[in-house]
Amino acid sequence: QVQLVESGGGLVQAGGSLRLSCAASGSIFTNNVMGWYRQAPGNQRELVAGITSDGTTNYADSVKGRFTISRDNAKNTVYLQMNSLKPEDTAVYYCNLNNRRSLWSHKDYWGQGTQVTVSS
């Protein structure tokens, strides 16, 4: 079992910055992907950014150049630095860990979500 604990959400003005953190604990496999998803009311949950165990990253087009994902493998922690925030970024942000036991055995774990609100 894996537990994900998120922090760093809050209210920020447009153009401001916020950093989210997510610490994972439990049975975490060496091969895993950690990422951030977000969901606004009426919308589907969407990938914001992901990062593999070896540091490979990917981003949603809407956040490229503004957000940076990073991780500290020693702490099993993933971060999302969000700059130049826009009202459209307002959503509940969820931390995700995809535990990759093998190529054919993956399991997803989710944090409780943290609210990010960007005011105009």
Side-chain angles (χ1 to χ4, degrees), residues 7-21 36-38 48-49 59 63 65-70 79-86 88-94 114-118:
S7 62
L11 175 65
V12 66
Q13 295 287 127
S17 297
L18 208 59
R19 189 176 78 158
L20 306 182
S21 299
W36 292 94
Y37 292 72
R38 67 187 182 188
V48 178
Y59 297 90
V63 306
R66 299 189 298 121
F67 292 8
T68 302
I69 189 169
S70 61
Y79 307 93
L80 185 67
Q81 179 66 47
M82 303 184 291
N83 298 326
S84 301
L85 282 161
K86 304 174 181 179
E88 307 94 274
D89 297 317
T90 296
V92 177
Y93 284 69
Y94 296 92
T114 184
Q115 178 71 45
V116 172
T117 302
V118 184

Side-chain angles (χ1 to χ4, degrees), residues 9-85:
L11 175 65
V12 66
Q13 295 287 127
S17 297
L18 208 59
R19 189 176 78 158
L20 306 182
S21 299
C22 173
S25 61
S27 184
I28 303 165
F29 296 127
T30 302
N31 186 5
N32 66 77
V33 180
M34 298 187 75
W36 292 94
Y37 292 72
R38 67 187 182 188
Q39 187 168 209
N43 294 341
Q44 287 191 301
R45 188 174 298 181
E46 63 176 348
L47 174 68
V48 178
I51 184 167
T52 65
S53 300
D54 65 4
T56 302
T57 61
N58 72 293
Y59 297 90
D61 287 341
S62 60
V63 306
K64 285 181 179 177
R66 299 189 298 121
F67 292 8
T68 302
I69 189 169
S70 61
R71 65 186 292 165
D72 184 338
N73 288 338
K75 296 181 178 180
N76 287 317
T77 299
V78 64
Y79 307 93
L80 185 67
Q81 179 66 47
M82 303 184 291
N83 298 326
S84 301
L85 282 161

